[in-house]
Amino acid sequence: MAARTVMQDAQVLWDFHQIPDDRRPTDVGIALGGHDIGVAEHAAELYRQERFPVVVFTGANAPTTVERFPRGEAVHFSERAQELGVPTDAMIIEPRATNTSENVTLTQERLLRDGVEPESATIISRPYQQRRAWATARKVWPELELVCSARWLSLHDYIEHIGDEHRVLTMLVGDTQRLWVYAEKGFAVPVEVPALVRDAYDRLVDAGFTSRLVA
């Protein structure tokens, strides 16, 4: 498959995963851990815009993050946010979550222990994770009013930011597959995936971008 066709298909998936940020203030921010420190930087930017009064950084480690964030994703993300001006008393660290469902459920448990019962939250994630994050949160915390937000970058600029085209494309393919796999397993609410997106996904799988697929 020609490189141009690969990137065209990747762009279809990238565009599909974007959810417009309607910029409404919410009771809390929830910044999902992962390999991209840009999530923490975007959370800090939203805090400075007074989008929420407190932000939860949630995440332990995955095999893809343990070397870069040896003390855990949530810890490193909170430290980066503090460098960017978020005060420590406006941050909560949830260091145990190992997947998106746990990001939400353990955040909910921690907030309730602290006597915080938010009615709304801004879910802050990687750009290509937005639909899965939304679908997961809707499943495990259905009464919560959600706003999704991610740093806006083009696919090209995001690849430049991460510095690894193959990694970005495999993660993009993997997150697309998880939309229907996790819905079937009961981990998330169903998300309608247009035929155009499924066709692009299938071609990228055939092209070998499969290392982040789940069984």
Side-chain angles (χ1 to χ4, degrees):
M1 181 181 292
R4 188 175 68 89
T5 303
V6 164
M7 294 310 298
Q8 286 176 336
D9 285 334
Q11 187 68 55
V12 170
L13 268 57
W14 181 264
D15 291 344
F16 171 69
H17 284 280
Q18 308 306 306
I19 297 178
D21 182 348
D22 63 14
R23 303 184 181 278
R24 283 181 289 119
T26 58
D27 296 331
V28 66
I30 303 175
L32 307 183
H35 66 88
D36 181 7
I37 197 68
V39 173
E41 295 167 350
H42 187 57
E45 180 180 357
L46 296 180
Y47 175 82
R48 292 194 301 268
Q49 295 172 0
E50 301 183 348
R51 290 279 300 275
F52 36 74
V54 64
V55 56
V56 181
F57 291 98
T58 168
N61 273 123
T64 56
T65 66
V66 66
E67 183 174 344
R68 185 175 185 189
F69 304 128
R71 288 175 289 114
E73 297 156 8
V75 172
H76 285 268
F77 279 30
S78 66
E79 290 172 349
R80 179 58 178 149
Q82 186 175 2
E83 291 173 353
L84 295 172
V86 182
T88 56
D89 60 2
M91 295 189 290
I92 295 172
I93 299 174
E94 186 296 295
R96 296 183 295 144
T98 59
N99 57 57
T100 306
S101 182
E102 289 182 356
N103 286 141
V104 180
T105 57
L106 294 178
T107 291
Q108 182 184 30
E109 292 172 7
R110 172 60 190 273
L111 289 172
L112 290 176
R113 285 201 307 271
D114 291 349
V116 180
E117 299 185 34
E119 296 180 358
S120 60
T122 300
I123 305 292
I124 308 154
S125 69
R126 302 183 295 274
Y128 58 82
Q129 189 187 12
Q130 291 184 85
R131 287 196 182 274
R132 181 163 65 89
W134 178 87
T136 303
R138 291 297 302 154
K139 180 69 176 184
V140 302
W141 200 346
E143 65 271 24
L144 192 66
E145 183 182 346
L146 297 176
V147 173
C148 291
S149 188
R151 172 178 282 178
W152 169 247
L153 291 171
S154 68
L155 175 56
H156 175 270
D157 288 345
Y158 190 75
I159 290 170
E160 290 292 313
H161 165 66
I162 297 298
D164 186 335
E165 177 180 297
H166 190 269
R167 182 177 190 174
V168 171
L169 296 192
T170 56
M171 297 288 280
L172 183 57
V173 170
D175 258 64
T176 303
Q177 182 214 28
R178 281 164 173 75
L179 290 176
W180 55 82
V181 171
Y182 285 1
E184 291 167 359
K185 292 179 178 293
F187 301 155
V189 299
V191 173
E192 182 178 355
V193 181
L196 177 70
V197 175
R198 287 295 294 255
D199 290 345
Y201 162 85
D202 288 339
R203 287 191 294 268
L204 288 168
V205 168
D206 290 342
F209 295 98
T210 59
S211 63
R212 287 288 298 168
L213 296 182
V214 295

